[in-house]
Amino acid sequence: MTHPPQSSAPPPAAPPARRSAFAEGAERVRAAATTEPGRLRIIGAVLAVVVVAFGAVTVWQAGARSAAADDVLRRSQPLSSGAAGIYRSLADANTAASSGFLAGGQENAGSRDRYEKDIRTAAAGLVTAAANAEPGSASEATISRLNRLLPEYKGLIERARTYNRQGYPVGGAYLRYANEKMQKDMLPAAEALYTTENRRLDADYGDARPYPWAAIALGVLALAALGLAQHRMYRRTNRVLNHGLVAASAATAAALLWLVVGHALARSGLDGSYDHGIRSLNVLHDARIASLKARGNENLSLVSRGAETVTVDGTAYDAYYYDFDKDMTVLGTRLSQAAGLADDRGGTTPVKAAEGNMAVWKQRHASARTEDENGNYQQALDEVIGPEGATGECFDGVDRNLALAIDHEQDEFRQAARDGRDAMTGLPVGVAVLAVLGAAGAVAGIGRRLSEYR
């Protein structure tokens, strides 16, 4: 039996491994780079990408800064002032309540109306703050707490008034309890809300003011790339200008100039709004709060009649007189700071007037305290809440002049912040259009040169 002969041919070779798409693309780019038309196409693509990237980053950064500047003007600063208004309304309501209590059965309608107006203003401010608070935030929790405490405080004040009209001494205890709730619970919560809103304001300033360095760097890179491309074309063709590349350079330069100048003006306006608006407003709000606290403590010192004391370095003092002195020290310091920050007569005049009111207030208070300490309670009461020559007139003068100063600085802030925001109006859209035109010009300029090889 015979067997077929064995074949000695080698097995078929395995097919070559297929290269990745990236490797094939890189090979095509290398091949194209060996010819002038290929190199021109690569240059055109790079120029278009760089110019478009410059436009895209500018739109992103300028848009974010413009939105933050708008938030400073329309959201965070009004909310910060609103939080200060809540604090002020609560403190003033407490002061008005104590003044009405001292008047007893002769409480006038003005004192009662002032208290009711302050309570309504605080409640309305809390509604506005709640509508703008982020869900689950610390502000939302603080607002909820104040909304719970406000009716409790009102109830205590009404009980104090009821017992006071009937001549029961327990009315004073209710008033002191209401004041304790205000001083230890409500005002600290309102201050925390004010601090939170100020942090939000600072964050918006932090987002609006930084220079858009990434966009500026890409703009400079795009101009350098366009310049190099034109220089290369000049060396190879001896032609001074390529219309497409010139148009692309002009559009890119205009976009970069708009970005730099627009943001510089915006930053200047925002800096001005902070230096000549926010800083003054913060100091003025602190001064107004100090004056309200001082007036409340002055009234309560007569309500308590020495029932509340504090010991400092072994010496006992009337607690409310002691706090009054601290509040007046703060008021004087803040008024001095506000006068230094004011940069025109509109800001300086009311602050100086408030300083004059404070000086008279301290003199009249010293006289009233002397009468009280000598047992002349009615004389002391007349010098605090009397119809003429009382410390209440001085407090009203301080409060009125601080309100004028705050209104002036608020206007200064709005004008400067509006100028800063408006300096970036249209910048993102304008730069986007210029970037598209620049990329189209670069492609057209390179295309014009490519047409010479066909």
Side-chain angles (χ1 to χ4, degrees):
M1 181 176 180
T2 59
H3 297 279
Q6 298 292 323
S7 174
S8 60
R18 182 177 177 82
R19 293 185 300 170
S20 66
F22 176 79
E24 291 181 355
E27 181 61 29
R28 283 195 295 270
V29 171
R30 282 195 296 269
T34 61
T35 65
E36 181 62 13
R39 285 191 286 269
L40 287 173
R41 290 189 181 92
I42 294 172
I43 291 171
V46 170
L47 290 176
V49 168
V50 172
V51 173
V52 169
F54 162 57
V57 173
T58 298
V59 169
W60 165 50
Q61 292 195 312
R65 283 156 177 75
S66 180
D70 190 64
D71 283 342
V72 165
L73 178 64
R74 297 163 61 92
R75 183 180 67 99
S76 52
Q77 197 283 326
L79 289 175
S80 174
S81 289
I86 292 171
Y87 191 111
R88 186 259 170 197
S89 296
L90 292 174
D92 193 58
N94 200 46
T95 298
S98 60
S99 295
F101 185 93
L102 285 174
Q106 289 75 44
E107 179 182 7
N108 58 48
S111 176
R112 178 76 182 189
D113 290 345
R114 181 170 182 168
Y115 167 81
E116 295 291 349
K117 181 181 177 182
D118 285 331
I119 292 296
R120 289 194 301 270
T121 301
L126 288 172
V127 170
T128 301
N132 289 277
E134 297 179 1
S137 64
S139 292
E140 185 182 52
T142 301
I143 294 166
S144 297
R145 186 177 181 215
L146 283 170
N147 277 323
R148 185 181 69 254
L149 290 171
L150 189 57
E152 295 177 8
Y153 172 80
K154 289 176 63 179
L156 291 171
I157 292 296
E158 291 308 317
R159 289 181 185 178
R161 280 180 168 149
T162 299
Y163 286 123
N164 188 45
R165 285 194 297 267
Q166 296 173 356
Y168 295 142
V170 71
Y174 272 107
L175 183 66
R176 290 196 298 273
Y177 185 31
N179 176 73
E180 184 178 356
K181 183 177 287 291
M182 177 65 75
Q183 298 292 342
K184 294 186 177 180
D185 296 329
M186 299 177 70
L187 290 183
E191 185 176 8
L193 180 63
Y194 176 56
T195 301
T196 300
E197 296 302 340
N198 266 353
R199 282 200 297 265
R200 186 192 300 196
L201 175 60
D202 289 341
D204 284 338
Y205 266 107
D207 292 337
R209 295 176 63 254
Y211 279 105
W213 292 116
I216 293 173
L218 279 172
V220 172
L221 177 62
L223 280 178
L226 287 165
L228 289 173
Q230 291 177 86
H231 180 68
R232 180 183 185 279
M233 200 166 291
Y234 168 73
R235 291 184 60 186
R236 290 179 177 272
T237 64
N238 208 31
R239 296 171 184 169
V240 177
L241 297 176
N242 176 287
H243 293 164
L245 293 180
V246 169
S249 298
T252 303
L256 181 59
L257 182 63
W258 190 356
L259 172 64
V260 172
V261 173
H263 192 273
L265 292 174
R267 184 184 175 96
S268 175
L270 290 170
D271 286 346
S273 72
Y274 189 87
D275 293 337
H276 304 298
I278 297 301
R279 290 177 62 197
S280 293
L281 285 170
N282 288 341
V283 171
L284 289 169
H285 284 311
D286 288 346
R288 203 174 189 188
I289 288 168
S291 72
L292 287 163
K293 285 183 174 180
R295 180 58 177 173
N297 283 316
E298 184 177 49
N299 289 341
L300 287 166
S301 66
L302 295 178
V303 172
S304 69
R305 300 194 181 190
E308 300 288 338
T309 60
V310 61
T311 302
V312 179
D313 296 331
T315 303
Y317 299 93
D318 181 290
Y320 297 114
Y321 279 146
Y322 182 81
D323 287 340
F324 172 88
D325 291 337
K326 291 196 302 181
D327 295 331
M328 292 299 279
T329 298
V330 173
L331 174 60
T333 301
R334 294 295 181 264
L335 287 176
S336 177
Q337 292 172 343
L341 289 171
D343 56 356
D344 58 14
R345 289 187 61 188
T348 303
T349 300
V351 173
K352 292 296 184 182
E355 287 182 320
N357 297 141
M358 184 192 71
V360 177
W361 185 1
K362 292 171 70 174
Q363 293 173 0
R364 293 181 179 179
H365 172 81
S367 175
R369 184 185 292 192
T370 299
E371 295 289 353
D372 185 34
E373 291 173 348
N374 290 336
N376 300 320
Y377 179 79
Q378 187 58 49
Q379 288 86 340
L381 188 64
D382 291 340
E383 292 190 26
V384 172
I385 64 169
E388 292 183 5
T391 59
E393 293 177 355
C394 303
F395 163 72
D396 289 339
V398 170
D399 192 68
R400 181 173 57 253
N401 283 302
L402 285 175
L404 291 173
I406 288 172
D407 288 343
H408 174 77
E409 296 302 334
Q410 191 76 40
D411 290 339
E412 293 277 296
F413 159 80
R414 289 196 192 99
Q415 184 59 52
R418 190 178 293 113
D419 291 343
R421 182 200 61 181
D422 292 348
M424 289 188 283
T425 299
L427 176 59
V429 175
V431 170
V433 171
L434 288 172
V436 171
L437 293 175
V443 171
I446 296 299
R448 181 72 178 271
R449 175 72 179 124
L450 279 171
S451 65
E452 298 174 2
Y453 287 89
R454 299 191 181 105

